[in-house]
Amino acid sequence: MNKNNFAKNPPMGWNSWDCYGAAVTEKELMQNIDYMAQHLKEHGWEYIVCDIQWYEPTADSSHYHKFADLCMDEYGRVIPASNRFPSAADGKGFKPIADYVHSKGLKFGIHIMRGIPRQAVAANTKVKGTNYTARDVAHPFSICCWNTDMYGLDATKPGAQEYYDSIIELYASWGVDFLKVDDICVKYGRPGDESTLAYGGDEIELLRRAIDKCGRPIVLSLSPGPAMVEQAEHLRKNANMWRITNDFWDSWDAIMEMFMRCKNWSPYVSEGCFPDCDMLPLGHISIIGCEHGVTERQTRLSREEQRTMMTLWCIFRSPLMLGCEMTDMDEWTRSLLTNDEVLALLRDSRNAHQVLRLGNLIVWQAHDEAQNQYVALFNVTDWQDDFAVDFAALELEGTYKLRNLWENKDLGEVSDKFVVSIKSHDAKLYKLTKA
Amino acid sequence: MNKNNFAKNPPMGWNSWDCYGAAVTEKELMQNIDYMAQHLKEHGWEYIVCDIQWYEPTADSSHYHKFADLCMDEYGRVIPASNRFPSAADGKGFKPIADYVHSKGLKFGIHIMRGIPRQAVAANTKVKGTNYTARDVAHPFSICCWNTDMYGLDATKPGAQEYYDSIIELYASWGVDFLKVDDICVKYGRPGDESTLAYGGDEIELLRRAIDKCGRPIVLSLSPGPAMVEQAEHLRKNANMWRITNDFWDSWDAIMEMFMRCKNWSPYVSEGCFPDCDMLPLGHISIIGCEHGVTERQTRLSREEQRTMMTLWCIFRSPLMLGCEMTDMDEWTRSLLTNDEVLALLRDSRNAHQVLRLGNLIVWQAHDEAQNQYVALFNVTDWQDDFAVDFAALELEGTYKLRNLWENKDLGEVSDKFVVSIKSHDAKLYKLTKA
Amino acid sequence: MNKNNFAKNPPMGWNSWDCYGAAVTEKELMQNIDYMAQHLKEHGWEYIVCDIQWYEPTADSSHYHKFADLCMDEYGRVIPASNRFPSAADGKGFKPIADYVHSKGLKFGIHIMRGIPRQAVAANTKVKGTNYTARDVAHPFSICCWNTDMYGLDATKPGAQEYYDSIIELYASWGVDFLKVDDICVKYGRPGDESTLAYGGDEIELLRRAIDKCGRPIVLSLSPGPAMVEQAEHLRKNANMWRITNDFWDSWDAIMEMFMRCKNWSPYVSEGCFPDCDMLPLGHISIIGCEHGVTERQTRLSREEQRTMMTLWCIFRSPLMLGCEMTDMDEWTRSLLTNDEVLALLRDSRNAHQVLRLGNLIVWQAHDEAQNQYVALFNVTDWQDDFAVDFAALELEGTYKLRNLWENKDLGEVSDKFVVSIKSHDAKLYKLTKA
Amino acid sequence: MNKNNFAKNPPMGWNSWDCYGAAVTEKELMQNIDYMAQHLKEHGWEYIVCDIQWYEPTADSSHYHKFADLCMDEYGRVIPASNRFPSAADGKGFKPIADYVHSKGLKFGIHIMRGIPRQAVAANTKVKGTNYTARDVAHPFSICCWNTDMYGLDATKPGAQEYYDSIIELYASWGVDFLKVDDICVKYGRPGDESTLAYGGDEIELLRRAIDKCGRPIVLSLSPGPAMVEQAEHLRKNANMWRITNDFWDSWDAIMEMFMRCKNWSPYVSEGCFPDCDMLPLGHISIIGCEHGVTERQTRLSREEQRTMMTLWCIFRSPLMLGCEMTDMDEWTRSLLTNDEVLALLRDSRNAHQVLRLGNLIVWQAHDEAQNQYVALFNVTDWQDDFAVDFAALELEGTYKLRNLWENKDLGEVSDKFVVSIKSHDAKLYKLTKA
């Protein structure tokens, strides 16, 4: 199996974190599964991902309880808390939910922390199918700095590969299609302090091998970011997507930062290899979350900023993971998520790159196999402004038919240059076809 | 109680680490207690210190077993492993050994790691006399990077002071006179990497208060080093001695480094406040240790280097903690440890400081209340050499009676300058009395 | 002549420094020549190198006499002190000894300091075959910081090339096969202080040209180290071997440091171009030396550490220069030096590189033209431990026949991974042949 | 003898360097002695200083001959080259010239390099009155980086003090009153590179003791600069004057830099202790010099700049050492050097300091024992400008009688503030007396 075939295009889906933190339940998963199947699936959305701590019975927000007692099997493998996921009772795990997802033509994902539970080490559980125990494989000094559930594994120890094999085997048996592994893409020395990053390459390799053995094409997604560009080739070899940013939320500053990150990572996008700009904080979010001191709300991004975000994520070909509760989505938000001409860039465009950044204008460019050109223009000033872009700067020449993709409208022919007026924080996205 | 009265002069004693690592037993303690009482006590040696992991039943070298099961009481307090310390059985703790030490006119010390056992957190034990539990007071992200026994305490949490109170109360009930606390003077981010040091000031303050309450004058010794000079006043206020070096072993390079460290710390030596150069690796050491890949041996320091070490430690007024098995000590080693004229500097000298370092000659100077001068000269070249030191450089003038302290011999009168020949790596130590 | 043909494989030999410092005599050279011819030559050992100050009649240890009077000819060229090398009397220089070496089928090397004697400058000797004098070519401010014999040459001055030509001509006339030039690979500003290094590239080029003209394939070896990686291409162009470390002695710390140095230099090893890990301090060494304050001894490296050193030097393809007195070599030491399967790596292996360093396990890998793989595993912890290495990490797949090279023993077939137990500080060296 | 009595006020004199480099002769000394006695002595000028290399027979400019043969006595002490100083023949040294200087009521100074001649080391001369030799006391690695004459002394070696004693004894016997010692105040690692400075404190102490013993009050002047402010107290204890700048020449940039240096050093000026701004490059200079690529000339400083220099040097109380050939001095230059009201600051003022630097105006202030105030204002713009300075900024209040010292003119009374117009690069110097 070639992992690049598991996700040829950037995965599109929904993730429970932005709404429900560590506390999502089966009920909320089910209602969002239904919504996606009915309203978004036809536009390419297909993953439903249950985020962190589904094995923690007392989880009730996005803040973790330290030293919590986790639900765990005899081999030190976490299993869903049945008070939150009733269908998981009697050792059925996530299989019933995954089956339901599949029945709707969708795919199912889960989140895990790298490593083995601290309580497995305390209990010194067996590694399934071996004579090794949790204490043999746990690395006593490799702990996450923001969550107390796990010890990392010592990849040099016999039994470490087998432990990861045992959990992937379990997830495959449930029918998991997508695995988001956390505290691994980078490991923070101090929470949020980017000067303290280390790379979790050794455990990433263990996971890669475990998935390759398991017989199921499970997409491997790595968190948190920012991933290190110097690890780009190792990431491309071992994972399907990896976060290029710390958690992304609904602020303009965070979008501005993403322009820089996307620029740095654009050479590394290819089939099965997707640098990840993180979830889309659109619509109704943070329903029981408390991150950064803000709680339940409609996204704080303006409509222009939302369009800018969607334009950048699509031309860059980032995975798209919705953060909102979908069932009460408004028309505007849905329109952003169902514009097929825009979403087509995820599938069809290639070689996206920032072509210029002049003063307050940023321009990205890509093309498709038919040699259509895609040009996105971003006004990052705080006022509406007019901009001219010479075709030469885009290595174009001659006359093109121009189409506004957000508006699904042909604009006639243009030669030599664009002259456009763009609202503050807004974006234009054009398709150019040789006339 | 004023902690500076607990140890007016630098403590002198024996510590089990250099010989027995984490694995010392009652038998070895007893034989060394007897030896000290019989041969060294009259020269000022008085402490017997049982080093790390006396609560770890399987300890067998200086290498720790990760995730070892520790002997612990119902309040999460470690207690001696009775397979190693039979007299501690039936909850008697170290009281029988401490009583024996006291019967010999000596004092008894133990080593602890800062914090609370990881297994107390797993078992969620009560903090004695409170409604708090181990999980309330443990800091989940504050772990030692070289030993897996403990979590540090979160000094901001209710119950943290009470936990330290509860362990000090226990040690006081045993009759402990000296407490060496580890992973606290500095906390390494990576083992041995001095670029990663943090200071354990918050837990040091908890310990200071616990000792002040306990009613027993327990000397507080902090490890490991190198302590940070910028914390000098905080250390002087809260502790009796603190390590100014990482573990010191028998190598000339380490002695050379100590010259620099002693120079930096000399302004901070005073009654009850002693920067600590670490144990004396003399004689027969490392009997069951394996540090740095070398095992049982006679000290690798030449006789000249041994004299240099003793001279520096004494004029600087470092605590002196013997590292060797004492019962098979040879005559030469004993002569170094029983020269009363040299040891008198620990008690009588003041204001020691490096007065010059020229090329390969280092000179230290101190004086006593009677205005006798003490001058130590160190030849740090790799060959015997001649040196001249003008009295003016020592702010001396006129004629002095000169006494060689290592040889206990008067050398007649000198004026204006010293001219001395010193062997490679050797030291001269003189007392000068105004003629 | 192409200097890369002078030494197609890493030179193997013996050097007098580790035993005899600056004071070796003809007698000691002769006995070691005889030993090598009889016992080691068949295993590839061939160079006998007479180290520093063979022109200093009073040299008596590894400590230099400052301003010593040197034996020198009328052209300011140093010549052997005939009180130490009687056969050199009457202007015969090293020719009689070199002839004897050659008669045994071995090769002869000498050590020089870069530059021209200070006493040639005082006497203002002629540069042979020119009208220039020592004062014309000496650089008055270019002195070595650890030996007083020489001034460096000012490579911009007429006569400088001619002076180097004149000494190389002399050495060629004696039959010298190997020239170790000191104070040139790096020049220390302060002894041993690596923050003060400068590169001696200008004088290296003078020497290169002088050798190329002399008609004899003299191997050029540069000291001391650590050479600067940014000079790698200049070194490869001009020298045959260059030291990548300051003087290496028998300590584990120094071996640990070498792992890092070899990793950095491994891309630059090729035919005729050998980064040099320095002498092998095995067996009976430092017979009249006093470096670092330790004197005559058997190597302080444990047997495991000795095997680790030999394994690293051989897979890295460092030159091998023995440091011990050979005539009283014990069986163990000889076994390390005569294991033909291990030594074969010097000749046959290619592309050695550190393939992973995970926690306390270091793995090196190389291959030969027949696509046999060589894998060395090093346990750098202070205790015996078990390790697993997946074949994927070595970019291997399938089944291999495994041979333990140190034990010259076939171990059967392996697939997928190694699982090995390695003693503290020890190494395993395997040859893998596709099954 | 208290060295602070040797020069209670800043020395004033003439030095041969700026005109004659290393090549001054007896003839030029004599003509300048006569001029000073006749024209300047009454204004306080009194020292005639013969600068570097009076012992080098072939010296012919300000550029040194490397490895030159020096005139030297049997004890390795340099003596005047009699081809340049005929009166020194037959071992009379500088006594005849010094006697002549004294007969004119003036004082005589000489320059030396620290250390002992390299050629004394080559010849291994005796240290006078001892059994030590040049090789015993020379430090083989302590050489000057811009002149090849000397090795520094190893102050730790027996005989080092005695060598300095022997040269000072010689100079005292000649009647030397002033000794400028070079390569000692700071020692450059690379010529002119201020990032490479080391302090020559050990040899400074040897010289201090030698002078104190010699029975003659020889003023000790140290070069080159910039001296290190952190050595201020050591310099004050051991020397009379020390250079706070590298060689100062006739450029405005150098004057601008001196404002900063004088500001830093002003707290350290006191009786017998004078930070030194270096020679005054006025009038006809560089007659046979070639420094910085410029040769014989009238000073390149404008008249305004000359006045600024004299004003700063006088209020700061720098020593004043004339650099010009005096015998062809023009009227303007002489007027600058004979204004007794300005020169009185050297003797009478105290506590000078930069009181403000606002934009392009710099103000210095001092006072005398009679509480007269001295205020100097400097316009460092490139145009004439008007400035107002409030008395409050000078901690003055009330009404003062104002006198222009350069013009020797009363200006009436002022209150509250100055308002002055100053030409570009010019200075005003006022004396204020309480009305």
Side-chain angles (χ1 to χ4, degrees), chain B residues 48-63:
Chain B
I48 292 287
V49 182
C50 179
D51 214 80
I52 197 166
Q53 278 198 333
W54 34 265
Y55 40 78
E56 209 284 65
T58 70
D60 53 7
S61 78
S62 60
H63 174 55

Side-chain angles (χ1 to χ4, degrees), chain B residues 96-398:
Chain B
I97 294 177
D99 287 348
Y100 184 75
V101 168
H102 295 150
S103 77
K104 293 290 189 174
L106 301 175
K107 292 181 174 167
F108 183 59
I110 60 174
H111 169 290
I112 60 169
M113 301 293 295
R114 72 177 171 93
I116 189 165
R118 293 195 194 186
Q119 86 191 45
V121 172
N124 207 15
T125 55
K126 281 257 177 199
V127 174
K128 184 169 181 253
T130 75
N131 289 320
Y132 304 112
T133 68
R135 294 186 187 179
D136 292 328
V137 301
H139 193 308
F141 307 121
S142 176
I143 61 174
C144 175
C145 72
W146 45 269
N147 172 287
T148 70
D149 296 341
M150 302 287 176
Y151 287 109
L153 293 198
D154 183 340
T156 69
K157 287 283 167 291
Q161 180 66 60
E162 287 81 353
Y163 179 75
Y164 275 131
D165 291 350
S166 79
I167 61 171
I168 297 299
E169 176 195 65
L170 180 66
Y171 306 152
S173 78
W174 291 343
V176 166
D177 303 297
F178 179 104
L179 185 66
K180 176 180 172 185
V181 188
D182 217 340
D183 190 39
I184 194 165
C185 181
V186 293
K187 300 182 283 189
Y188 283 85
R190 280 187 298 274
D193 180 346
E194 296 193 8
S195 72
T196 65
L197 301 181
Y199 179 55
D202 51 352
E203 291 184 77
I204 292 170
E205 291 184 20
L206 296 182
L207 283 159
R208 174 78 267 141
R209 287 196 286 271
I211 293 172
D212 288 346
K213 285 183 210 167
C214 83
R216 190 171 176 89
I218 300 175
V219 170
L220 180 58
S221 164
L222 304 179
S223 274
M228 300 154 167
V229 175
E230 58 271 34
Q231 299 297 352
E233 291 310 329
H234 193 265
L235 288 161
R236 286 163 55 84
K237 188 169 161 199
N238 288 288
N240 293 109
M241 48 192 275
W242 51 89
R243 285 268 301 278
I244 63 173
T245 170
N246 200 340
D247 285 10
F248 174 81
W249 280 101
D250 47 336
S251 90
W252 176 247
D253 285 351
I255 292 176
M256 284 303 291
E257 194 175 289
M258 204 70 74
F259 280 110
M260 177 272 289
R261 298 196 188 279
C262 290
K263 175 176 185 297
N264 292 342
W265 278 99
S266 61
Y268 303 105
V269 178
S270 66
E271 191 170 278
C273 301
F274 300 105
D276 176 7
C277 295
D278 200 13
M279 277 170 261
L280 300 165
L282 295 169
H284 182 196
I285 52 175
S286 209
I287 293 174
I288 53 175
C290 62
E291 286 195 289
H292 305 287
V294 281
T295 54
E296 184 170 12
R297 64 186 178 278
Q298 291 292 319
T299 182
R300 293 175 301 179
L301 298 176
S302 71
R303 289 191 172 190
E304 291 76 18
E305 291 166 347
Q306 295 175 47
R307 186 157 41 223
T308 285
M309 175 179 70
M310 285 299 296
T311 304
L312 178 61
W313 268 235
C314 286
I315 198 165
F316 175 69
R317 302 183 74 214
S318 173
L320 298 185
M321 287 286 158
L322 273 172
C324 59
E325 168 58 49
M326 294 189 279
T327 56
D328 57 9
M329 190 183 292
D330 61 22
E331 269 313 297
W332 156 258
T333 305
R334 186 153 63 185
S335 75
L336 278 177
L337 303 175
T338 56
N339 187 320
D340 292 329
E341 297 192 36
V342 173
L343 295 174
L345 272 77
L346 288 181
R347 189 180 61 241
D348 298 335
S349 76
R350 292 292 179 273
N351 191 29
H353 58 287
Q354 179 180 307
V355 65
L356 55 83
R357 180 168 190 160
L358 281 176
N360 295 312
L361 174 69
I362 297 174
V363 181
W364 276 72
Q365 186 176 10
H367 62 79
D368 62 20
E369 291 197 353
Q371 293 312 311
N372 296 301
Q373 296 288 328
Y374 299 92
V375 178
L377 301 98
F378 303 92
N379 173 6
V380 299
T381 67
D382 291 342
W383 53 89
Q384 174 156 342
D385 215 336
D386 299 326
F387 300 95
V389 179
D390 202 284
F391 275 14
L394 307 172
E395 302 193 354
L396 302 179
E397 55 183 17

Side-chain angles (χ1 to χ4, degrees), chain A residues 66-69 118 121-122 134-148 151 154 157, chain B residues 66-69 118 121-122 134-148 151 154 157:
Chain A
K66 67 176 178 179
F67 302 122
D69 287 308
R118 294 194 194 186
V121 173
R135 294 186 187 179
D136 292 328
V137 301
H139 195 307
F141 307 121
S142 176
I143 60 175
C144 175
C145 72
W146 46 268
N147 172 286
T148 71
Y151 288 110
D154 183 341
K157 287 286 164 288
Chain B
K66 67 178 176 177
F67 303 121
D69 287 307
R118 293 195 194 186
V121 172
R135 294 186 187 179
D136 292 328
V137 301
H139 193 308
F141 307 121
S142 176
I143 61 174
C144 175
C145 72
W146 45 269
N147 172 287
T148 70
Y151 287 109
D154 183 340
K157 287 283 167 291

Side-chain angles (χ1 to χ4, degrees), chain A residues 382-429:
Chain A
D382 291 342
W383 54 88
Q384 173 157 343
D385 215 340
D386 299 328
F387 300 95
V389 178
D390 202 285
F391 275 14
L394 308 173
E395 301 190 355
L396 301 180
E397 54 183 17
T399 300
Y400 288 83
K401 289 186 287 181
L402 192 65
R403 185 169 173 80
N404 181 320
L405 295 187
W406 277 113
E407 299 183 5
N408 304 141
K409 197 158 36 178
D410 286 324
L411 298 178
E413 298 194 344
V414 285
S415 301
D416 300 337
K417 73 171 73 169
F418 290 105
V419 180
V420 290
S421 183
I422 312 178
K423 285 203 273 185
S424 172
H425 293 195
D426 204 355
K428 298 283 187 187
L429 179 60

